[in-house]
Amino acid sequence: IIKTERGNVLGRLKVTGKAVGETEIHAYAYSNHDIQATCRVRVVEPVYTKKLQLNVTEKELKKGESIQLTPMFSPTNVTCKELEWTSSNRYVASVSENGKVTADGDSVGRTVITAKALDGSGQTATCTISRYGQFDRPQAPVVLSSAPDKVVLKKVSGCEYSMDKVKWQDSNEFTGLTPEHSYTFYARKKADGYFRASEASAGTVVKTPADKKSGQKEPAKETPEEAPKKTSEETPAGFDTLKENRTYTYDLDGDGKKESVRIKAGKAQDDRYYEACVYVDGKKKLTLKEQWGFYSIEVRLITMSKKKVFLYIHPSGDNGDGQTAIYQYKNGKLKKSIDLGKLGRYAYVNKVTKNKITMECGDTSSAIGCFYYACDLVYKNGKLVLKTKTCTVNSYTTTKKGKRPYITAKKRMQLYKSHNTKQKSFVLKKGQKVKVLKFYAKGKTDWFLLKTSSGKSGWLAAEHTGMPQFEEAFGVA
């Protein structure tokens, strides 16, 4: 008979297994012992989970789509099959207590769904959920110039170009064309992060002019006395794209002798590569291995001057991810001059002069989502370094169109007069709108220079991980 101090009969009885064996639990009515019930209990040795798996380990979902995850226990006769379900980013996808995953909300990015066994074994299983957006279709390309064998289009940041909508190139220049021939050129926004490439623009038709060589007067040749002396500093600055499995010749180390350069991806497995090698004069000088594989490798030969020649190497995997870096050939070795992964998630060569390399970078902040900025690299003490850590923000991804639109604060936030001081500027109120102008990375904190429509400005400190701080921000993974 189970009762409290006041004599009230308890309606529930908790039974706890103490040891392996069998026993009977008897319950009697407090007022009449003839009324009773019996429960036979058998305590067994618990079987713990040794391995936990899910029926799906990776899945792409669109907004509103769902998927049911089913756990698989090993061994199959585990005693307790209860699970705890969590999502690393519920803005990308949420998960219910029975493992149903739903892509709700407008965020793009990646989240990891984790199932944890509650039998004390500590076993877990995960499924990665990805969501993608798509860039808007750009306008038809604008022609800057055309020659009998060459057409130059206006360069638009983030775009790539094609003549057949099949093969696309980063360069806005098309060479090796035929005189007096009509060509159609297209542009599209390149895939970047969790945004897929846009649809191809409308075509721009260009007819190359005739090659008027006849009747032209040959220009006078310079005599040795008249010809200006060319120094190594007059080497044209710029960059060339090197394609896979082709051999190129360049003076890589500035010693006046040309070396042969060849980039070769490893043997393809399924739909991707896992290794890439760089050969100089037929000898392997660099091997890059990617754990998750890559689809193509982007290599650019950068020339600042005769003595400053570099190789930009970017294996492009899922979402363009890859260990991007710039290397320099010295003393017969390819040495890493700068790890571009420290600049952000993405870093591309945009422009090269004799004094600097301008990079177009992209990253993701928990505060504002995906954003893109420009930074300059300069050559100092034998290495490439950032000219300044304070970078201009060119654009940031929001649910509204525009390069630098106004975004709305989700809460009150303290802004500061500088990214390196605790001197306060003003408090940004909930609902107030600002533009993002500058970016500065400092340890685990991202600093953004914000400006209101009334002209007030201040720096916001945002942790790398956390909740979005502006209503329009998305792309947080």
Side-chain angles (χ1 to χ4, degrees):
I1 298 172
I2 309 300
K3 65 179 181 178
T4 64
E5 293 179 357
R6 295 183 180 181
N8 295 324
V9 177
L10 296 179
R12 289 186 175 184
L13 181 67
K14 182 179 180 180
V15 179
T16 303
K18 296 291 186 179
V20 176
E22 294 186 0
T23 187
E24 287 186 351
I25 306 297
H26 299 278
Y28 301 91
Y30 182 70
S31 58
N32 187 350
H33 284 198
D34 292 333
I35 302 174
Q36 60 178 289
T38 302
C39 175
R40 188 165 186 79
V41 177
R42 183 166 61 94
V43 179
V44 298
E45 191 70 39
V47 178
Y48 293 102
T49 305
K50 292 185 177 180
K51 186 177 182 181
L52 181 63
Q53 294 177 296
L54 297 176
N55 60 324
V56 179
T57 58
E58 191 171 348
K59 182 70 174 178
E60 179 184 340
L61 294 179
K62 296 180 180 179
K63 181 179 179 180
E65 288 185 338
S66 297
I67 182 175
Q68 179 64 53
L69 297 181
T70 303
M72 294 174 284
F73 293 86
S74 179
T76 56
N77 64 330
V78 297
T79 305
C80 175
K81 293 188 176 182
E82 292 186 28
L83 295 172
E84 178 186 54
W85 296 89
T86 58
S87 171
S88 64
N89 189 341
R90 61 186 180 86
Y91 289 94
V92 173
S94 59
V95 60
S96 67
E97 61 183 10
N98 65 353
K100 183 178 180 180
V101 180
T102 304
D104 34 22
D106 295 317
S107 294
V108 298
R110 179 178 293 180
T111 186
V112 178
I113 306 299
T114 302
K116 181 180 179 181
L118 296 180
D119 61 356
S121 64
Q123 293 295 317
T124 61
T126 61
C127 174
T128 300
I129 302 296
S130 300
R131 289 182 60 186
Y132 293 86
Q134 187 172 29
F135 285 118
D136 293 333
R137 183 187 187 194
Q139 295 181 345
V142 176
V143 178
L144 292 181
S145 64
S146 63
D149 63 345
K150 179 179 179 180
V151 170
V152 179
L153 306 176
K154 182 179 180 181
K155 183 74 173 178
V156 178
S157 178
C159 279
E160 56 187 356
Y161 308 91
S162 175
M163 290 194 296
D164 56 8
K165 294 192 286 188
V166 176
K167 296 180 180 179
W168 294 87
Q169 64 182 51
D170 292 332
S171 175
N172 58 325
E173 297 184 5
F174 292 82
T175 57
L177 306 181
T178 303
E180 296 186 277
H181 187 81
S182 292
Y183 295 92
T184 304
F185 298 94
Y186 305 90
R188 74 175 182 184
K189 294 287 286 184
K190 288 179 61 177
D192 190 358
Y194 290 100
F195 284 83
R196 302 196 186 281
S198 70
E199 295 180 4
S201 69
T204 297
V205 180
V206 180
K207 185 174 182 180
T208 52
D211 191 2
K212 299 179 181 179
K213 291 184 178 179
S214 59
Q216 288 187 346
K217 185 177 180 180
E218 185 178 350
K221 295 182 179 180
E222 296 174 335
T223 65
E225 292 76 13
E226 294 171 336
K229 294 182 180 180
K230 296 183 179 180
T231 66
S232 60
E233 291 303 313
E234 290 177 336
T235 301
F239 60 84
D240 297 320
T241 299
L242 308 188
K243 296 182 179 180
E244 299 171 33
N245 301 317
R246 289 182 60 179
T247 301
Y248 300 86
T249 55
Y250 292 98
D251 181 4
L252 294 179
D253 51 10
D255 63 356
K257 298 178 182 179
K258 290 187 177 181
E259 289 81 21
S260 66
V261 185
R262 186 180 181 89
I263 294 87
K264 185 178 180 180
K267 186 178 180 181
Q269 300 177 33
D270 300 323
D271 61 342
R272 63 186 72 192
Y273 304 95
Y274 291 87
E275 182 179 286
C277 301
V278 180
Y279 294 84
V280 179
D281 289 337
K283 296 181 180 180
K284 187 188 295 185
K285 297 295 182 180
L286 180 68
T287 300
L288 295 176
K289 293 186 178 181
E290 287 286 341
Q291 180 181 1
W292 306 111
F294 59 94
Y295 301 106
S296 62
I297 183 166
E298 181 182 356
V299 180
R300 293 185 173 183
L301 187 131
I302 301 171
T303 304
M304 298 176 74
S305 68
K306 185 176 180 180
K307 294 288 185 179
K308 301 174 186 176
V309 180
F310 307 90
L311 282 177
Y312 163 94
I313 303 178
H314 169 60
S316 182
D318 292 330
N319 311 311
D321 291 343
Q323 48 178 321
T324 311
I326 295 179
Y327 298 83
Q328 189 172 24
Y329 188 66
K330 286 184 176 181
N331 301 321
K333 296 181 180 180
L334 266 178
K335 298 181 179 180
K336 187 183 292 185
S337 183
I338 186 170
D339 182 359
L340 297 179
K342 296 179 180 179
L343 299 185
R345 188 169 181 177
Y346 310 102
Y348 302 100
V349 180
N350 194 29
K351 185 180 179 181
V352 177
T353 67
K354 293 179 181 179
N355 301 317
K356 65 183 179 182
I357 301 172
T358 300
M359 305 296 299
E360 184 177 3
C361 304
D363 210 342
T364 304
S365 163
S366 62
I368 67 172
C370 297
F371 65 101
Y372 306 88
Y373 58 95
C375 63
D376 293 331
L377 303 178
V378 294
Y379 194 71
K380 188 176 181 180
N381 297 328
K383 287 190 175 182
L384 291 170
V385 295
L386 276 173
K387 184 178 180 181
T388 175
K389 291 185 178 181
T390 303
C391 305
T392 300
V393 176
N394 294 328
S395 62
Y396 36 93
T397 310
T398 68
T399 54
K400 296 181 179 180
K401 295 181 180 180
K403 283 191 173 182
R404 291 204 298 198
Y406 282 100
I407 53 179
T408 312
K410 296 183 69 173
K411 61 179 182 178
R412 287 172 57 90
M413 290 175 272
Q414 178 65 59
L415 302 189
Y416 299 87
K417 291 190 175 182
S418 173
H419 55 72
N420 57 7
T421 181
K422 293 184 178 180
Q423 191 174 0
K424 297 179 180 179
S425 176
F426 70 98
V427 174
L428 185 67
K429 297 179 181 178
K430 180 180 179 180
Q432 197 168 359
K433 295 182 178 295
V434 293
K435 284 188 175 184
V436 185
L437 304 181
K438 300 282 185 180
F439 164 66
Y440 180 87
K442 186 177 181 181
K444 295 182 179 180
T445 306
D446 293 331
W447 287 83
F448 295 98
L449 178 61
L450 309 179
K451 187 176 182 180
T452 66
S453 57
S454 61
K456 279 187 176 181
S457 62
W459 287 86
L460 169 69
E463 296 296 322
H464 287 329
T465 58
M467 303 294 287
Q469 293 173 255
F470 294 89
E471 292 181 4
E472 296 84 358
F474 73 109
V476 181

